[in-house]
Amino acid sequence: MLHPQWETLFLVVEYGSFSRAAAARSCSAVAVMNQVNALEERLGVTLLARSTRGVRLTEAGEALVAEARRLGAEAARAVEKARTAAGRGVVRIGTSFLRPCRPLLDRLEKLPAAVRECFQISIVPFSDSPGDFGRLQQRLGSDIDCFVSPCDSAAWREDFSLLPLGSSRCCVALAAGHRLASKARLTWDDLEGETLLLVKRGVSPTLDRLRDEIAREHPGITVLDAPGYYDMEVFNRCGQAGYLMECPEIWKGVHPSLVTLPVAWDYALPFGIVYAKAPSPAFRRFVEALAETL
């Protein structure tokens, strides 16, 4: 029920520039800028401070965006109640740059048409930044029903329900100008003398095993802790510092300055649907129907 111009503004705020928001929307930066300009003109308020380093919210913009997000959540709940009363369950699927909903939407195509018609799909964009992503997890089941992500986290298994969709082998991302970038496949010898970013120990049992193998068999590789959850700043850091970075193959191509290469090791991360332990009745029916396609 929010005007589409607000959704565009949310993306610009998330990515910090018109061009990156345009890439996420698969449209031109000019089109994104025009939508934000039109919103500012309609409201009579400057929402964004523009500079050569990107954009940021003005004080007025911060207040309005916070209120718009709240109103959007209230509107979504009102729409859900109306659709539920009409006999169609609303399913709110989160999507972001690193956790796109496409794998789930592809899986939905396998449901019989009569089953798909029982659900109203609503796509909800969210930010991958650590703070916003942490808050999203706290709201799972209230403002959003699910998202698709690598899900090897032991903590997630305790806090959420998971429906596996498959696995994605662990690769290495590195700057396009790196000495190894031209290789088709990396070996352990290639990684000697390099610095490899990995999520902190305790986040992923699979990557903890990779850490153990490096410490035991390949001490020439320096392991550097990345945050518990990747966001685009981690990818930026990898490219700027010349580090290597463990990267699930499903994230291949998410950063234009990095290439993602397979490695001669045997590690893969499960990925699937993450949702609340106590989902809505509509979403529970949705998961049950989806599980029959797996």
Side-chain angles (χ1 to χ4, degrees):
M1 293 172 69
L2 278 182
H3 195 286
Q5 291 169 348
W6 281 105
E7 300 296 342
T8 300
L9 177 64
F10 294 160
L11 276 180
V12 172
V13 172
E14 175 183 349
Y15 291 111
S17 79
F18 293 112
S19 59
R20 288 198 289 270
R25 271 283 173 88
S26 299
C27 63
S28 71
V30 172
V32 170
M33 189 180 303
N34 287 342
Q35 288 191 55
V36 174
N37 289 343
L39 178 61
E40 290 181 322
E41 182 176 351
R42 182 160 59 89
L43 297 174
V45 175
T46 300
L47 303 174
L48 293 176
R50 291 119 165 123
S51 72
T52 56
R53 293 176 294 180
V55 298
R56 60 175 179 81
L57 285 170
T58 62
E59 184 176 350
E62 289 181 355
L64 277 170
V65 164
E67 188 64 13
R69 291 188 187 278
R70 186 189 66 79
L71 291 173
E74 291 292 335
R77 282 192 284 270
V79 171
E80 180 177 359
K81 288 181 180 178
R83 287 171 174 160
T84 300
R88 300 184 74 193
V90 178
V91 174
R92 299 158 300 176
I93 303 174
T95 191
S96 70
F97 204 63
L98 292 180
R99 296 169 179 87
C101 62
R102 174 50 56 188
L104 176 52
L105 299 183
D106 290 342
R107 186 72 62 172
L108 292 182
E109 293 300 317
K110 297 184 179 182
L111 290 175
V115 176
R116 292 201 303 271
E117 290 173 0
C118 294
F119 303 101
Q120 176 69 42
I121 303 300
S122 178
I123 305 301
V124 183
F126 65 87
S127 168
D128 290 303
S129 66
D132 289 344
F133 188 48
R135 286 187 288 273
L136 170 76
Q137 294 174 56
Q138 296 173 359
R139 303 196 310 271
L140 199 59
S142 57
D143 297 339
I144 186 173
D145 290 307
C146 69
F147 59 88
V148 180
S149 176
C151 49
D152 193 43
S153 168
W156 279 11
R157 292 193 187 97
E158 295 181 3
D159 296 338
F160 308 116
S161 295
L162 306 173
L163 181 65
L165 295 179
S167 62
S168 180
R169 62 178 173 176
C170 297
C171 298
V172 161
L174 64 163
H178 194 281
R179 66 178 182 86
L180 300 174
S182 61
K183 287 182 169 286
R185 180 181 174 88
L186 300 178
T187 66
W188 282 112
D189 288 341
D190 292 326
L191 303 184
E192 288 293 326
E194 298 290 342
T195 297
L196 176 68
L197 266 72
L198 282 175
V199 294
K200 296 177 182 178
R201 182 176 289 278
V203 173
S204 162
T206 299
L207 297 182
D208 284 351
R209 292 196 299 273
L210 175 57
R211 278 178 174 268
D212 292 340
E213 182 173 357
I214 291 173
R216 184 177 62 250
E217 305 290 344
H218 308 281
I221 301 172
T222 300
V223 174
L224 189 64
D225 284 349
Y229 302 107
Y230 287 165
D231 64 357
M232 290 310 296
E233 284 306 310
V234 178
F235 285 83
N236 291 336
R237 180 184 179 190
C238 170
Q240 293 164 3
Y243 299 144
L244 309 185
M245 172 183 171
E246 180 280 324
C247 177
E249 192 171 27
I250 55 173
W251 287 349
K252 183 176 182 178
V254 299
H255 196 290
S257 299
L258 303 180
V259 296
T260 302
L261 302 176
V263 187
W265 59 32
D266 189 22
Y267 294 96
L269 294 175
F271 74 92
I273 303 166
V274 183
Y275 61 100
K277 287 285 190 183
S280 69
F283 189 76
R284 188 179 297 280
R285 295 194 303 271
F286 175 79
V287 170
E288 291 171 352
L290 197 64
E292 294 181 359
T293 70
L294 301 177

